[in-house]
Amino acid sequence: MTIIQHPHAVAVIGAGPAGLVTARWLSAQGFEPVLFEAAAQAGGQWNAASPLSATWRGMRTNTSRVMSAFSDLDHGEGTPVYPRQEDMLDYLETYSARSGLSERIRWRTRVERLEKVGGGYLVTSRQDGELSVQRFARVVVATGRYIAPSLPEIPRCGGFTGVLGASHTARYDGGSVYRDHDVLVAGCSISALEIASDLALSGARSVTACYRRQRYILPKLIAGVPTDHVMFTRAAALAGEILPPEALAAGLKAKVTAVAGTPDQFGAMRPDDNIFAAGISQAQAFLPLVAEGRIAVRPWIERIEGRSVHFADGSAREFDAILFGTGYRLSLPFLSDDIAAALGLDQTHIDLCDHTFHPDLDGLAFVGFYDLVGPAFPVLELQARWIAYAWGGAVAMPVREALQERLAEARARRNGPQTVAMHEMALLFARNANVEPDRSRWPELERALLFGPLSPASFRLQGPDRLADAPARTCASAEEFGAIYSPEFTQEERALHDLLGRTATRAA
């Protein structure tokens, strides 16, 4: 049966962090969000009971508690610097309740089809076996970027005969089952390195990590300060807009190696001299464990024969288990063929204006469908605010010509790197939502805004929905862990500040 919804109703598909924060901001703009959640509990990836969750027992975040939160709610007192999976789930449930979203969520309701009809969209969903079809003028897809594991094509991989088999790290649930076994972890992503470290510290007989290219690896803490407070800053984003790629690569490499060294110093492989070509990963314990001989490092897999894995350097070894930390593919199986075709959707790409809108799909938006490097929560909230403000009238919705121009830019990037940096995305969405702070209005906060973390509160200083306590909270986030302990610039910061200031003046 088809039900015509209230004109202000918006279907939000997914009640993970992206869906919850989008619904919160849609509500603030007078919309009535209806959230469709396939699980029996909110939280998305942080709900370990969900079959789509890739969290594991004992898992901690790789972003600090300051950057793993939304602007309306800080983590509670006593939360670790890097929250546990249970902390994140509790946080999201509290956020949902305080935002009045819990009663708007349809639990155990899986969306099976989304199709465009006339001036709206039909959402076909199934709850406890019962099928429902409803019409909405607006729909937000927020089902998550990391739900469909991607496995590499390796000769004879299916014939691996290790006693614990081969699987994706998305199915990892702690190291106990691998105790006293020989384990290969394939991949150099954060989760792959963290799982390899967890295995080495949980009693595995041996742990080997292999990957196609050696990335530079940052620890989670730099001199006691969370890495995301140091690396993902407004200054880094602004510098990226004005400096040539060669200068950016050289500067970034110098900064990374100054605080973390190079992997080959620890006994891992030597990365490419160009840090953009090599890439960056993060793990607190991985390289020290390599240095201690508790994790061995090999190049990529050439072939598999029974229990034996042959590597590209000609070496081979027998393993009891293989865990592939090889990323995720885009998966939106409920989209109708015409919507998927308009989006140019495949396992890697989705063509959208600023990762959000499409000129031929009025009333449809996507949140979180980018391969983000760095803290996700501030970026998701800024994207959600832009959608809510654009639909609600707080900021102008881009005209069709602008959408088409930005869509063409997205299509032109299909053959390039698909990862995007958190600080660049944060400024993109903040500018679109008209909430990027004007530094000239906040001289007492300028160092915190440039070189402190891109904290959620820093985007509530001005523009729609500014908060009276945002200056104090912005300052507190920058001062936490001793990162920005005074308003005075260091000599290095002053040089970059002056460069950015002169550039801004010329642009104006």
Side-chain angles (χ1 to χ4, degrees):
M1 178 175 63
T2 300
I3 303 172
I4 305 300
Q5 290 288 327
H6 188 281
H8 293 296
V10 180
V12 178
I13 306 175
L20 292 174
V21 75
T22 301
R24 175 263 185 265
W25 285 102
L26 286 170
S27 296
Q29 286 294 307
F31 293 102
E32 297 181 5
V34 178
L35 292 95
F36 294 81
E37 173 53 49
Q41 189 178 13
Q45 284 283 352
W46 297 109
N47 173 18
S50 168
L52 298 178
S53 173
T55 59
W56 61 87
R57 278 177 284 186
M59 179 179 172
R60 269 69 174 173
T61 62
N62 54 50
T63 56
S64 74
R65 63 172 177 254
V66 171
M67 302 297 281
S68 302
F70 299 128
S71 64
D72 291 318
L73 180 67
D74 295 329
H75 281 277
E77 187 175 350
T79 302
V81 176
Y82 288 93
R84 301 166 299 172
Q85 174 268 325
E86 309 95 276
D87 297 323
M88 294 303 300
L89 182 58
D90 288 345
Y91 175 88
L92 290 168
E93 290 185 319
T94 301
Y95 180 83
S96 175
R98 292 193 182 182
S99 302
L101 301 177
S102 300
E103 62 272 18
R104 295 182 177 274
I105 302 175
R106 298 181 181 177
W107 307 109
R108 304 182 312 282
T109 305
R110 181 180 301 279
V111 171
E112 297 190 348
R113 184 170 175 82
L114 176 66
E115 55 190 308
K116 195 174 189 302
V117 289
Y121 297 87
L122 288 184
V123 177
T124 301
S125 63
R126 189 180 299 275
Q127 182 184 52
D128 299 332
E130 184 176 344
L131 202 65
S132 175
V133 182
Q134 296 169 278
R135 181 171 180 156
F136 293 86
R138 302 180 191 274
V139 177
V140 178
V141 179
T143 49
R145 173 67 176 78
Y146 307 104
I147 60 173
S150 177
L151 290 170
E153 293 185 6
I154 296 172
R156 293 173 237 176
C157 182
F160 177 65
T161 58
V163 65
L164 296 178
S167 63
H168 195 275
T169 53
R171 304 280 73 85
Y172 181 73
D173 193 27
S176 60
V177 70
Y178 301 96
R179 190 181 302 276
D180 298 324
H181 287 90
D182 300 307
V183 188
L184 173 65
V185 181
C188 200
S189 64
I190 292 175
S191 59
L193 301 185
E194 291 278 75
I195 287 172
S197 303
D198 191 47
L199 288 164
L201 296 171
S202 298
R205 183 165 51 218
S206 73
V207 179
T208 301
C210 72
Y211 28 79
R212 292 183 177 89
R213 71 181 190 279
Q214 177 68 64
R215 301 184 189 183
Y216 291 83
I217 300 174
L218 282 164
K220 292 169 75 170
L221 291 160
I222 297 173
V225 180
T227 294
D228 51 12
H229 290 229
V230 178
M231 302 301 295
F232 299 101
T233 65
R234 186 170 275 101
L238 294 172
E241 295 176 348
I242 61 173
L243 295 176
E246 299 78 13
L248 284 173
L252 180 59
K253 180 183 175 182
K255 188 170 186 178
V256 169
T257 56
V259 299
T262 60
D264 51 295
Q265 291 178 278
F266 294 79
M269 296 183 291
R270 182 179 179 85
D272 193 292
D273 285 339
N274 186 314
I275 197 167
F276 290 155
I280 302 176
S281 196
Q282 178 181 299
Q284 185 68 21
F286 180 80
L287 288 178
L289 289 169
V290 171
E292 292 176 357
R294 293 204 265 180
I295 297 177
V297 173
R298 295 287 180 270
W300 193 240
I301 301 168
E302 186 176 83
R303 70 184 187 279
I304 296 173
E305 295 178 349
R307 290 184 60 228
S308 182
V309 177
H310 296 253
F311 300 101
D313 63 355
S315 64
R317 180 166 181 182
E318 292 187 341
F319 294 96
D320 300 312
I322 303 176
L323 290 167
F324 289 102
T326 45
Y328 296 81
R329 55 185 170 80
L330 279 172
S331 178
L332 292 164
F334 54 84
L335 294 183
S336 65
D337 290 344
D338 59 330
I339 293 178
L343 296 168
L345 182 67
D346 59 27
Q347 294 188 5
T348 306
H349 309 95
I350 181 169
D351 297 334
L352 293 164
C353 161
D354 289 351
H355 306 274
T356 308
F357 299 116
H358 192 285
D360 297 328
L361 299 170
D362 186 40
L364 181 61
F366 293 78
V367 177
F369 287 91
Y370 28 79
D371 192 3
L372 188 73
V373 178
F377 276 52
V379 175
L380 293 174
E381 180 169 27
L382 289 166
Q383 188 177 22
R385 291 175 72 182
W386 179 37
I387 293 168
Y389 291 166
W391 284 352
V395 301
M397 179 76 187
V399 298
R400 180 174 176 81
E401 291 73 17
L403 289 173
Q404 290 174 323
E405 180 179 340
R406 295 184 210 176
L407 180 66
E409 294 172 359
R411 288 172 172 162
R413 292 192 296 267
R414 285 178 72 96
N415 294 325
Q418 298 303 300
T419 55
V420 290
M422 176 268 175
H423 48 271
E424 297 170 0
M425 295 291 282
L427 263 62
L428 169 68
F429 294 137
R431 290 165 176 168
N432 288 352
N434 195 27
V435 296
E436 168 64 3
D438 178 354
R439 287 182 284 125
S440 67
R441 292 179 52 181
W442 306 97
E444 73 282 8
L445 291 176
E446 190 170 19
R447 187 181 180 213
L449 288 174
L450 273 177
F451 299 103
L454 284 167
S455 61
S458 71
F459 297 102
R460 302 293 294 274
L461 288 168
Q462 60 193 71
D465 296 292
R466 58 186 176 273
L467 291 174
D469 66 348
R473 291 173 62 203
T474 300
C475 186
S477 294
E479 291 176 345
E480 196 160 1
F481 314 109
I484 302 294
Y485 47 84
S486 83
E488 300 299 322
F489 291 100
T490 66
Q491 184 175 355
E492 180 184 1
E493 291 171 348
R494 174 59 67 183
L496 182 53
H497 166 271
D498 291 346
L499 172 64
L500 296 174
R502 289 197 302 272
T503 302
T505 300
R506 288 199 302 271

